[in-house]
Amino acid sequence: MATNQQQQQQQQHPLVLIAGGGPAGLLLSILLDKIGVDSVVIERASEPDEWSSKSYTLVLGQNGKASLAEAGCLEAATEAGIERRFVYFYDASSGDVKAMPKQVSGLGFTRPLLVQVLENVALECPRVTVKRGAGVSHVTKKDKFSLEVALEDGSVVSASHVIGADGKWSNVRESFPELSTQFTMQTCPCFGVHMNLSTVPVSFKSDGTYVIKPSSPDCKFYIIASPRPETDQGLSISMVCYDQILEKYPWLAPPADMKIGDYGKGGWEDEYSALPGTVTAEESLSDNLMKLFEDELPAFYNAIKDDDIFQTARINRRVTWLKMNAEGTSYSTQDGMVALIGDAAHAMTAAMGEGCNTAMGSAVKLADRVKAIMEQNGEEECSLNTMSDDSSSMDAAAQLK
């Protein structure tokens, strides 16, 4: 027979706090709403991101589109995004282009646009609240059934469960040694230089991503150029550099590597891969880049030179990613009250280009696992008991296999 405490727990409903209002966090809130779970999404940024602040584009493949479909967001996403059917290899010297069709077409977005689509859906969900302006600073277990969440503005909120969807520098993960000690931040010997072109060159098509390699083999970099899907369409240009390039072009040296615990202290320089609209690149950097493009990418340079693109250049820190320290890594605390999804949990190098697809997939797995336990317990609405008693439920859901 259940004790009074167990009966009370079964009657209560969980309140899930999701740290991070990126694609994974917002998608999870929508999925939880569908199974009757209240959630609050806490996002550091006070306003939705704009293109000038987060410059990279992304492509959702078959898995990413399946995750959107699971949440009922695919139609809205398809209307906003742009179909990516090809990878185009652009000859930097001649301008000749070879098209390689994809086996399965993808959906192209800028990160801000995908977040906007998901946030619009989330705000229509009766069980979802989105709060902006202060990120999660630290999480503490208050008692057997609740957690205290300290925010960066000094306020404290309570929740029955916390999901860390707050990226690779996750404060949720760092709040619990049983989670943080399972991962090590790895730094790759490569970095990126991002630029924004306000228009798309006439010869470029919007249904693919362009790969441009320099004419000289000793130039250790390549370019990824992606037409943006917004109404004021332009071109996102990422120059992927290996450390060997610094021997020839020392002026490309990236900023010092960032350590866990330092994220956010540098303001926009930590947050963003592009320069804010009110900032321009140093004159020496823009001049040097212009000369480099003119020498090593002559055809591409001629296609983009009539724009102030080099004034938008931003050199980013070296690429970092999470490495799991051992087999059998757990993505939740032992009591099942805290779990990690997306970049806060998975080992995914940037070169794989699957970060967003995998992050949203982990949100779907978590929600599916909770739904399965509800069905097993015969529940129409999720109880606190379902979320808390099975300490493996959150972990099994967040694992990326």
Side-chain angles (χ1 to χ4, degrees):
M1 180 178 294
T3 65
N4 289 337
Q5 187 181 51
Q6 288 173 328
Q7 290 174 343
Q8 182 181 16
Q9 185 183 1
Q10 288 171 352
Q11 292 168 359
Q12 292 176 332
H13 298 292
L15 173 61
V16 178
L17 185 144
I18 301 171
L26 288 168
L27 187 72
L28 178 61
S29 72
I30 297 166
L31 291 164
L32 291 178
D33 175 82
K34 289 182 175 297
I35 57 175
V37 177
D38 294 321
S39 68
V40 179
V41 179
I42 302 293
E43 169 54 39
R44 168 183 281 159
S46 56
E47 298 292 335
D49 293 328
E50 296 180 357
W51 169 250
S52 62
S53 62
K54 293 229 173 163
S55 90
Y56 62 87
T57 56
L58 53 89
V59 177
L60 298 183
Q62 187 172 4
N63 292 337
K65 290 192 291 185
S67 296
L68 291 173
E70 185 83 10
C73 303
L74 183 56
E75 183 176 351
T78 302
E79 290 178 2
I82 190 167
E83 189 178 27
R84 301 287 201 215
R85 298 188 296 120
F86 295 94
V87 175
Y88 293 108
F89 294 93
Y90 186 99
D91 189 299
S93 298
S94 66
D96 293 339
V97 178
K98 293 182 179 179
M100 184 179 75
K102 293 186 172 186
Q103 290 184 340
V104 179
S105 64
L107 273 179
F109 291 91
T110 61
R111 185 184 186 277
L113 181 59
L114 179 58
V115 168
Q116 178 187 330
V117 168
L118 292 172
E119 187 166 346
N120 288 343
V121 176
L123 291 173
E124 294 296 320
C125 296
R127 293 183 178 271
V128 177
T129 303
V130 178
K131 292 186 177 181
R132 288 183 167 275
V136 170
S137 175
H138 191 78
V139 183
T140 307
K141 186 172 180 179
K142 183 179 180 180
D143 54 44
K144 187 176 180 181
F145 307 119
S146 64
L147 299 156
E148 280 193 347
V149 183
L151 304 185
E152 292 168 340
D153 62 0
S155 62
V156 177
V157 296
S158 296
S160 65
H161 297 79
V162 171
I163 308 298
D166 49 344
K168 61 186 174 184
W169 303 103
S170 171
N171 284 336
V172 173
R173 186 186 65 240
E174 295 304 305
S175 298
F176 296 90
E178 64 180 292
L179 297 176
S180 62
T181 55
Q182 298 183 91
F183 302 91
T184 302
M185 193 68 73
Q186 300 289 300
T187 301
C188 301
C190 60
F191 58 96
V193 182
H194 289 279
M195 291 162 276
N196 302 322
L197 189 64
S198 60
T199 59
V200 178
V202 176
S203 61
F204 277 51
K205 298 179 180 180
S206 62
D207 62 353
T209 300
Y210 286 77
V211 179
I212 305 113
K213 293 185 177 180
S215 54
S216 175
D218 63 341
C219 286
K220 303 300 182 182
F221 74 91
Y222 62 92
I223 301 286
I224 297 176
S226 302
R228 305 200 310 260
E230 299 96 336
T231 337
D232 54 343
Q233 190 180 68
L235 194 70
S236 163
I237 299 177
S238 297
M239 180 179 176
V240 182
C241 303
Y242 301 97
D243 275 359
Q244 297 98 309
I245 197 175
L246 300 178
E247 297 173 10
K248 188 172 183 178
Y249 303 109
W251 48 268
L252 276 173
D257 299 340
M258 191 162 58
K259 306 297 182 184
I260 289 178
D262 291 340
Y263 179 74
K265 294 180 180 179
W268 69 265
E269 292 193 349
D270 293 347
E271 289 279 352
Y272 306 132
S273 59
L275 296 175
T278 55
V279 182
T280 57
E282 293 182 8
E283 187 174 349
S284 59
L285 173 60
S286 59
D287 289 346
N288 284 329
L289 277 171
M290 185 184 300
K291 183 67 167 61
L292 171 59
F293 274 50
E294 188 176 9
D295 291 345
E296 300 295 342
L297 310 161
F300 186 56
Y301 171 76
N302 286 329
I304 65 173
K305 67 179 181 180
D306 294 331
D307 196 283
D308 293 331
I309 178 174
F310 300 107
Q311 293 292 331
T312 71
R314 152 92 172 164
I315 303 177
N316 291 323
R317 289 183 171 87
R318 288 179 176 85
V319 174
T320 52
W321 60 285
L322 285 177
K323 179 182 179 181
M324 301 173 190
N325 292 335
E327 292 291 332
T329 299
S330 175
Y331 297 89
S332 77
T333 52
Q334 189 173 4
D335 56 19
M337 297 175 72
V338 179
L340 306 173
I341 63 171
D343 287 350
H346 63 231
M348 180 68 62
T349 62
M352 296 179 70
E354 287 293 323
C356 188
N357 288 283
T358 307
M360 294 199 303
S362 65
V364 171
K365 285 192 174 185
L366 194 155
D368 282 350
R369 177 61 176 167
V370 174
K371 183 179 179 180
I373 298 173
M374 287 173 57
E375 292 173 353
Q376 179 181 318
N377 293 342
E379 296 177 350
E380 293 184 2
E381 289 191 1
C382 184
S383 68
L384 192 60
N385 185 60
T386 289
M387 296 288 285
S388 298
D389 275 3
D390 188 337
S391 62
S392 68
S393 64
M394 302 275 267
D395 187 53
Q399 289 188 39
L400 304 172
K401 295 181 179 177

CSV table of all heavy atoms in Angstrom, one decimal, residues 309-362:
chain,number,residue,atom,x,y,z
A,309,ILE,N,32.0,43.4,-47.0
A,309,ILE,CA,32.0,42.1,-46.2
A,309,ILE,C,33.2,42.1,-45.3
A,309,ILE,O,33.0,41.6,-44.1
A,309,ILE,CB,32.1,41.0,-47.2
A,309,ILE,CG1,32.1,39.6,-46.5
A,309,ILE,CG2,33.2,41.1,-48.2
A,309,ILE,CD1,32.1,38.4,-47.3
A,310,PHE,N,34.3,42.5,-45.6
A,310,PHE,CA,35.5,42.4,-44.8
A,310,PHE,C,35.4,43.2,-43.5
A,310,PHE,O,36.1,43.0,-42.5
A,310,PHE,CB,36.8,42.7,-45.6
A,310,PHE,CG,36.9,41.8,-46.8
A,310,PHE,CD1,36.7,42.2,-48.0
A,310,PHE,CD2,37.3,40.4,-46.6
A,310,PHE,CE1,36.9,41.4,-49.1
A,310,PHE,CE2,37.4,39.6,-47.7
A,310,PHE,CZ,37.2,40.1,-49.0
A,311,GLN,N,34.6,44.2,-43.5
A,311,GLN,CA,34.4,45.0,-42.3
A,311,GLN,C,33.5,44.3,-41.3
A,311,GLN,O,33.4,44.7,-40.1
A,311,GLN,CB,33.6,46.3,-42.7
A,311,GLN,CG,34.4,47.3,-43.5
A,311,GLN,CD,35.6,47.9,-42.7
A,311,GLN,OE1,35.6,48.0,-41.5
A,311,GLN,NE2,36.7,48.2,-43.4
A,312,THR,N,32.9,43.2,-41.7
A,312,THR,CA,32.1,42.4,-40.8
A,312,THR,C,32.9,41.2,-40.2
A,312,THR,O,32.3,40.4,-39.4
A,312,THR,CB,30.9,41.8,-41.5
A,312,THR,OG1,31.3,40.8,-42.4
A,312,THR,CG2,30.1,42.9,-42.3
A,313,ALA,N,34.2,41.1,-40.5
A,313,ALA,CA,34.9,39.9,-40.1
A,313,ALA,C,35.1,39.8,-38.6
A,313,ALA,O,35.4,40.8,-37.9
A,313,ALA,CB,36.3,39.9,-40.8
A,314,ARG,N,35.0,38.6,-38.1
A,314,ARG,CA,35.1,38.3,-36.7
A,314,ARG,C,35.9,37.0,-36.6
A,314,ARG,O,35.5,35.9,-37.1
A,314,ARG,CB,33.8,38.2,-36.1
A,314,ARG,CG,33.7,37.3,-34.9
A,314,ARG,CD,33.9,38.0,-33.6
A,314,ARG,NE,33.6,37.1,-32.5
A,314,ARG,CZ,34.0,37.3,-31.2
A,314,ARG,NH1,34.6,38.4,-30.9
A,314,ARG,NH2,33.7,36.5,-30.2
A,315,ILE,N,37.1,37.0,-35.9
A,315,ILE,CA,37.8,35.8,-35.6
A,315,ILE,C,37.4,35.2,-34.3
A,315,ILE,O,37.3,35.8,-33.3
A,315,ILE,CB,39.3,36.1,-35.5
A,315,ILE,CG1,39.8,36.8,-36.8
A,315,ILE,CG2,40.1,34.8,-35.3
A,315,ILE,CD1,41.3,37.2,-36.8
A,316,ASN,N,36.9,33.9,-34.4
A,316,ASN,CA,36.4,33.3,-33.2
A,316,ASN,C,37.5,32.5,-32.5
A,316,ASN,O,38.6,32.2,-33.0
A,316,ASN,CB,35.3,32.3,-33.6
A,316,ASN,CG,34.1,33.1,-34.0
A,316,ASN,OD1,33.8,34.1,-33.4
A,316,ASN,ND2,33.4,32.6,-35.0
A,317,ARG,N,37.2,32.1,-31.2
A,317,ARG,CA,38.1,31.2,-30.5
A,317,ARG,C,38.2,29.8,-31.2
A,317,ARG,O,37.4,29.5,-32.0
A,317,ARG,CB,37.6,31.1,-29.1
A,317,ARG,CG,37.8,32.3,-28.2
A,317,ARG,CD,37.4,32.0,-26.8
A,317,ARG,NE,37.7,33.1,-25.9
A,317,ARG,CZ,37.0,34.2,-25.7
A,317,ARG,NH1,35.8,34.3,-26.3
A,317,ARG,NH2,37.4,35.2,-24.9
A,318,ARG,N,39.2,29.1,-30.8
A,318,ARG,CA,39.3,27.7,-31.3
A,318,ARG,C,38.1,26.9,-30.9
A,318,ARG,O,37.5,27.1,-29.8
A,318,ARG,CB,40.6,27.1,-30.7
A,318,ARG,CG,41.9,27.6,-31.4
A,318,ARG,CD,43.1,27.0,-30.8
A,318,ARG,NE,44.3,27.5,-31.5
A,318,ARG,CZ,45.0,28.6,-31.2
A,318,ARG,NH1,44.5,29.3,-30.2
A,318,ARG,NH2,46.1,28.9,-31.9
A,319,VAL,N,37.8,25.9,-31.7
A,319,VAL,CA,36.6,25.1,-31.5
A,319,VAL,C,36.8,24.2,-30.3
A,319,VAL,O,37.8,23.6,-30.1
A,319,VAL,CB,36.4,24.3,-32.8
A,319,VAL,CG1,35.2,23.3,-32.6
A,319,VAL,CG2,36.1,25.1,-34.0
A,320,THR,N,35.7,24.2,-29.5
A,320,THR,CA,35.7,23.3,-28.3
A,320,THR,C,34.6,22.3,-28.4
A,320,THR,O,33.5,22.6,-29.0
A,320,THR,CB,35.6,24.1,-27.0
A,320,THR,OG1,34.5,25.0,-27.1
A,320,THR,CG2,36.9,24.9,-26.8
A,321,TRP,N,34.7,21.2,-27.7
A,321,TRP,CA,33.6,20.2,-27.7
A,321,TRP,C,33.8,19.4,-26.4
A,321,TRP,O,34.9,19.3,-25.8
A,321,TRP,CB,33.6,19.3,-28.9
A,321,TRP,CG,34.8,18.5,-29.2
A,321,TRP,CD1,36.0,19.0,-29.7
A,321,TRP,CD2,35.0,17.1,-28.9
A,321,TRP,NE1,36.9,18.0,-29.8
A,321,TRP,CE2,36.3,16.8,-29.3
A,321,TRP,CE3,34.2,16.1,-28.5
A,321,TRP,CZ2,36.9,15.5,-29.2
A,321,TRP,CZ3,34.7,14.8,-28.4
A,321,TRP,CH2,36.0,14.6,-28.8
A,322,LEU,N,32.7,18.7,-26.0
A,322,LEU,CA,32.7,17.9,-24.8
A,322,LEU,C,33.2,16.5,-25.1
A,322,LEU,O,32.6,15.8,-26.0
A,322,LEU,CB,31.3,17.8,-24.1
A,322,LEU,CG,30.9,19.1,-23.4
A,322,LEU,CD1,29.4,18.8,-22.9
A,322,LEU,CD2,31.8,19.4,-22.2
A,323,LYS,N,34.1,16.0,-24.3
A,323,LYS,CA,34.6,14.6,-24.5
A,323,LYS,C,34.1,13.8,-23.2
A,323,LYS,O,34.3,14.3,-22.1
A,323,LYS,CB,36.1,14.5,-24.6
A,323,LYS,CG,36.6,13.1,-24.7
A,323,LYS,CD,38.1,13.1,-24.8
A,323,LYS,CE,38.7,11.6,-24.9
A,323,LYS,NZ,40.1,11.6,-24.9
A,324,MET,N,33.5,12.7,-23.4
A,324,MET,CA,33.1,11.8,-22.3
A,324,MET,C,34.3,11.1,-21.7
A,324,MET,O,35.1,10.6,-22.5
A,324,MET,CB,32.1,10.8,-22.8
A,324,MET,CG,30.8,11.4,-23.4
A,324,MET,SD,29.8,10.2,-24.1
A,324,MET,CE,28.6,11.2,-25.0
A,325,ASN,N,34.4,11.1,-20.4
A,325,ASN,CA,35.6,10.6,-19.8
A,325,ASN,C,35.6,9.1,-19.7
A,325,ASN,O,36.7,8.5,-19.5
A,325,ASN,CB,35.8,11.2,-18.4
A,325,ASN,CG,36.1,12.7,-18.5
A,325,ASN,OD1,36.6,13.2,-19.5
A,325,ASN,ND2,35.8,13.4,-17.4
A,326,ALA,N,34.5,8.5,-19.8
A,326,ALA,CA,34.4,7.0,-19.6
A,326,ALA,C,33.2,6.4,-20.2
A,326,ALA,O,32.2,7.2,-20.5
A,326,ALA,CB,34.5,6.6,-18.1
A,327,GLU,N,33.2,5.1,-20.4
A,327,GLU,CA,32.0,4.4,-20.9
A,327,GLU,C,30.9,4.5,-19.8
A,327,GLU,O,31.2,4.6,-18.6
A,327,GLU,CB,32.3,3.0,-21.2
A,327,GLU,CG,33.2,2.8,-22.4
A,327,GLU,CD,32.6,3.1,-23.7
A,327,GLU,OE1,31.3,3.0,-23.8
A,327,GLU,OE2,33.3,3.6,-24.6
A,328,GLY,N,29.7,4.4,-20.2
A,328,GLY,CA,28.6,4.4,-19.2
A,328,GLY,C,28.3,5.8,-18.7
A,328,GLY,O,27.8,5.9,-17.5
A,329,THR,N,28.6,6.8,-19.4
A,329,THR,CA,28.3,8.2,-19.0
A,329,THR,C,26.8,8.4,-18.7
A,329,THR,O,26.0,7.9,-19.4
A,329,THR,CB,28.8,9.2,-20.0
A,329,THR,OG1,30.2,9.0,-20.3
A,329,THR,CG2,28.5,10.6,-19.6
A,330,SER,N,26.5,9.1,-17.6
A,330,SER,CA,25.2,9.3,-17.2
A,330,SER,C,24.8,10.8,-17.6
A,330,SER,O,25.6,11.7,-17.4
A,330,SER,CB,24.9,9.1,-15.7
A,330,SER,OG,23.6,9.5,-15.3
A,331,TYR,N,23.6,11.0,-18.1
A,331,TYR,CA,23.2,12.3,-18.5
A,331,TYR,C,22.2,12.9,-17.5
A,331,TYR,O,21.6,13.9,-17.8
A,331,TYR,CB,22.6,12.3,-19.9
A,331,TYR,CG,23.5,11.9,-21.0
A,331,TYR,CD1,23.7,10.5,-21.3
A,331,TYR,CD2,24.3,12.8,-21.6
A,331,TYR,CE1,24.6,10.1,-22.2
A,331,TYR,CE2,25.2,12.4,-22.6
A,331,TYR,CZ,25.4,11.1,-22.9
A,331,TYR,OH,26.3,10.7,-23.9
A,332,SER,N,22.0,12.2,-16.4
A,332,SER,CA,21.1,12.8,-15.3
A,332,SER,C,21.7,12.5,-14.0
A,332,SER,O,22.6,11.6,-13.8
A,332,SER,CB,19.7,12.2,-15.4
A,332,SER,OG,19.7,10.8,-14.9
A,333,THR,N,21.3,13.2,-13.0
A,333,THR,CA,21.7,13.0,-11.6
A,333,THR,C,21.0,11.7,-11.2
A,333,THR,O,20.1,11.2,-11.8
A,333,THR,CB,21.3,14.1,-10.7
A,333,THR,OG1,19.9,14.4,-10.8
A,333,THR,CG2,22.1,15.4,-11.0
A,334,GLN,N,21.6,11.1,-10.1
A,334,GLN,CA,21.1,9.7,-9.7
A,334,GLN,C,19.6,9.8,-9.3
A,334,GLN,O,18.9,8.8,-9.5
A,334,GLN,CB,22.0,9.2,-8.5
A,334,GLN,CG,21.7,7.8,-8.2
A,334,GLN,CD,22.7,7.3,-7.1
A,334,GLN,OE1,23.5,8.0,-6.6
A,334,GLN,NE2,22.6,6.0,-6.8
A,335,ASP,N,19.2,10.9,-8.8
A,335,ASP,CA,17.8,11.0,-8.3
A,335,ASP,C,16.8,11.3,-9.5
A,335,ASP,O,15.6,11.4,-9.3
A,335,ASP,CB,17.6,12.0,-7.2
A,335,ASP,CG,18.1,13.4,-7.6
A,335,ASP,OD1,18.2,13.7,-8.8
A,335,ASP,OD2,18.4,14.2,-6.7
A,336,GLY,N,17.4,11.5,-10.7
A,336,GLY,CA,16.5,11.8,-11.9
A,336,GLY,C,15.9,13.2,-11.9
A,336,GLY,O,15.1,13.4,-12.8
A,337,MET,N,16.3,14.1,-11.0
A,337,MET,CA,15.7,15.4,-11.0
A,337,MET,C,16.4,16.4,-12.0
A,337,MET,O,15.8,17.4,-12.3
A,337,MET,CB,15.8,15.9,-9.6
A,337,MET,CG,15.0,15.1,-8.6
A,337,MET,SD,15.2,15.7,-6.9
A,337,MET,CE,14.2,17.2,-6.9
A,338,VAL,N,17.6,16.1,-12.4
A,338,VAL,CA,18.3,17.0,-13.3
A,338,VAL,C,18.8,16.1,-14.5
A,338,VAL,O,19.4,15.1,-14.3
A,338,VAL,CB,19.5,17.7,-12.6
A,338,VAL,CG1,20.3,18.6,-13.6
A,338,VAL,CG2,19.0,18.5,-11.4
A,339,ALA,N,18.6,16.6,-15.7
A,339,ALA,CA,19.1,15.9,-16.9
A,339,ALA,C,19.7,16.9,-17.9
A,339,ALA,O,19.4,18.1,-17.8
A,339,ALA,CB,18.0,15.1,-17.6
A,340,LEU,N,20.6,16.4,-18.8
A,340,LEU,CA,21.2,17.3,-19.8
A,340,LEU,C,20.8,16.8,-21.1
A,340,LEU,O,20.6,15.6,-21.4
A,340,LEU,CB,22.7,17.1,-19.6
A,340,LEU,CG,23.4,17.4,-18.3
A,340,LEU,CD1,24.9,17.1,-18.3
A,340,LEU,CD2,23.2,18.9,-17.9
A,341,ILE,N,20.6,17.8,-22.0
A,341,ILE,CA,20.3,17.5,-23.4
A,341,ILE,C,21.2,18.4,-24.3
A,341,ILE,O,21.7,19.4,-23.8
A,341,ILE,CB,18.8,17.6,-23.8
A,341,ILE,CG1,18.4,19.1,-23.6
A,341,ILE,CG2,18.0,16.7,-23.0
A,341,ILE,CD1,17.0,19.4,-24.2
A,342,GLY,N,21.3,18.1,-25.6
A,342,GLY,CA,21.9,19.0,-26.5
A,342,GLY,C,23.4,19.1,-26.3
A,342,GLY,O,24.1,18.2,-25.8
A,343,ASP,N,23.9,20.3,-26.5
A,343,ASP,CA,25.3,20.6,-26.4
A,343,ASP,C,25.8,20.5,-25.0
A,343,ASP,O,27.0,20.4,-24.7
A,343,ASP,CB,25.7,22.0,-26.9
A,343,ASP,CG,25.6,22.1,-28.4
A,343,ASP,OD1,25.5,21.0,-29.1
A,343,ASP,OD2,25.7,23.2,-29.0
A,344,ALA,N,24.9,20.6,-24.0
A,344,ALA,CA,25.3,20.4,-22.6
A,344,ALA,C,25.7,19.0,-22.3
A,344,ALA,O,26.4,18.7,-21.3
A,344,ALA,CB,24.2,20.8,-21.7
A,345,ALA,N,25.4,18.0,-23.2
A,345,ALA,CA,25.6,16.6,-22.9
A,345,ALA,C,26.4,15.9,-23.9
A,345,ALA,O,27.3,15.1,-23.6
A,345,ALA,CB,24.2,15.9,-22.7
A,346,HIS,N,26.2,16.2,-25.2
A,346,HIS,CA,26.7,15.2,-26.2
A,346,HIS,C,28.1,15.6,-26.7
A,346,HIS,O,28.5,16.8,-26.7
A,346,HIS,CB,25.7,15.1,-27.4
A,346,HIS,CG,25.5,16.3,-28.2
A,346,HIS,ND1,24.3,16.8,-28.5
A,346,HIS,CD2,26.4,17.2,-28.8
A,346,HIS,CE1,24.4,17.9,-29.2
A,346,HIS,NE2,25.7,18.2,-29.4
A,347,ALA,N,28.8,14.6,-27.0
A,347,ALA,CA,30.2,14.8,-27.6
A,347,ALA,C,30.0,14.9,-29.1
A,347,ALA,O,29.7,14.0,-29.8
A,347,ALA,CB,31.0,13.5,-27.3
A,348,MET,N,30.2,16.1,-29.6
A,348,MET,CA,30.0,16.4,-31.0
A,348,MET,C,30.9,17.5,-31.5
A,348,MET,O,30.9,18.6,-31.0
A,348,MET,CB,28.5,16.9,-31.2
A,348,MET,CG,28.1,17.2,-32.6
A,348,MET,SD,28.1,15.7,-33.7
A,348,MET,CE,26.7,14.8,-32.9
A,349,THR,N,31.9,17.1,-32.3
A,349,THR,CA,32.8,18.1,-32.9
A,349,THR,C,32.1,18.9,-33.9
A,349,THR,O,31.2,18.5,-34.6
A,349,THR,CB,34.0,17.4,-33.5
A,349,THR,OG1,33.6,16.6,-34.6
A,349,THR,CG2,34.8,16.6,-32.5
A,350,ALA,N,32.5,20.2,-34.0
A,350,ALA,CA,31.8,21.1,-34.9
A,350,ALA,C,31.9,20.7,-36.4
A,350,ALA,O,31.0,20.9,-37.2
A,350,ALA,CB,32.4,22.5,-34.7
A,351,ALA,N,33.0,20.0,-36.7
A,351,ALA,CA,33.3,19.6,-38.0
A,351,ALA,C,32.2,18.6,-38.6
A,351,ALA,O,32.0,18.4,-39.8
A,351,ALA,CB,34.7,18.9,-38.2
A,352,MET,N,31.5,17.9,-37.6
A,352,MET,CA,30.5,16.9,-38.1
A,352,MET,C,29.2,17.6,-38.6
A,352,MET,O,28.4,17.0,-39.3
A,352,MET,CB,30.1,16.0,-36.9
A,352,MET,CG,31.3,15.1,-36.4
A,352,MET,SD,30.8,14.1,-35.1
A,352,MET,CE,29.7,12.9,-35.9
A,353,GLY,N,29.0,18.9,-38.2
A,353,GLY,CA,27.9,19.6,-38.7
A,353,GLY,C,26.5,19.1,-38.3
A,353,GLY,O,25.5,19.3,-39.0
A,354,GLU,N,26.5,18.3,-37.2
A,354,GLU,CA,25.2,17.7,-36.8
A,354,GLU,C,24.8,18.1,-35.4
A,354,GLU,O,23.9,17.5,-34.8
A,354,GLU,CB,25.4,16.2,-36.8
A,354,GLU,CG,25.4,15.6,-38.2
A,354,GLU,CD,24.1,15.7,-38.9
A,354,GLU,OE1,23.1,15.5,-38.3
A,354,GLU,OE2,24.1,15.9,-40.2
A,355,GLY,N,25.3,19.2,-34.9
A,355,GLY,CA,25.0,19.6,-33.5
A,355,GLY,C,23.6,19.9,-33.3
A,355,GLY,O,23.0,19.4,-32.3
A,356,CYS,N,22.9,20.7,-34.1
A,356,CYS,CA,21.5,21.0,-33.9
A,356,CYS,C,20.6,19.8,-34.1
A,356,CYS,O,19.7,19.6,-33.3
A,356,CYS,CB,21.1,22.2,-34.8
A,356,CYS,SG,19.5,22.8,-34.5
A,357,ASN,N,20.9,19.0,-35.1
A,357,ASN,CA,20.1,17.8,-35.4
A,357,ASN,C,20.1,16.9,-34.2
A,357,ASN,O,19.1,16.3,-33.7
A,357,ASN,CB,20.6,17.1,-36.6
A,357,ASN,CG,20.3,17.8,-37.9
A,357,ASN,OD1,19.2,17.8,-38.4
A,357,ASN,ND2,21.3,18.5,-38.5
A,358,THR,N,21.3,16.7,-33.6
A,358,THR,CA,21.5,15.8,-32.5
A,358,THR,C,20.9,16.4,-31.2
A,358,THR,O,20.3,15.7,-30.4
A,358,THR,CB,23.0,15.5,-32.2
A,358,THR,OG1,23.6,15.1,-33.5
A,358,THR,CG2,23.2,14.5,-31.2
A,359,ALA,N,21.0,17.7,-31.0
A,359,ALA,CA,20.4,18.3,-29.9
A,359,ALA,C,18.9,18.2,-29.8
A,359,ALA,O,18.3,17.8,-28.8
A,359,ALA,CB,20.8,19.8,-29.8
A,360,MET,N,18.3,18.4,-31.0
A,360,MET,CA,16.8,18.3,-31.0
A,360,MET,C,16.4,16.8,-30.9
A,360,MET,O,15.4,16.5,-30.2
A,360,MET,CB,16.3,18.9,-32.3
A,360,MET,CG,16.5,20.4,-32.4
A,360,MET,SD,15.4,21.2,-33.6
A,360,MET,CE,15.8,20.3,-35.0
A,361,GLY,N,17.2,15.9,-31.4
A,361,GLY,CA,17.0,14.5,-31.2
A,361,GLY,C,17.0,14.1,-29.7
A,361,GLY,O,16.2,13.2,-29.3
A,362,SER,N,17.9,14.7,-29.0
A,362,SER,CA,17.9,14.3,-27.5
A,362,SER,C,16.7,14.8,-26.8
A,362,SER,O,16.2,14.2,-25.9
A,362,SER,CB,19.2,14.9,-26.9
A,362,SER,OG,19.2,16.3,-26.9
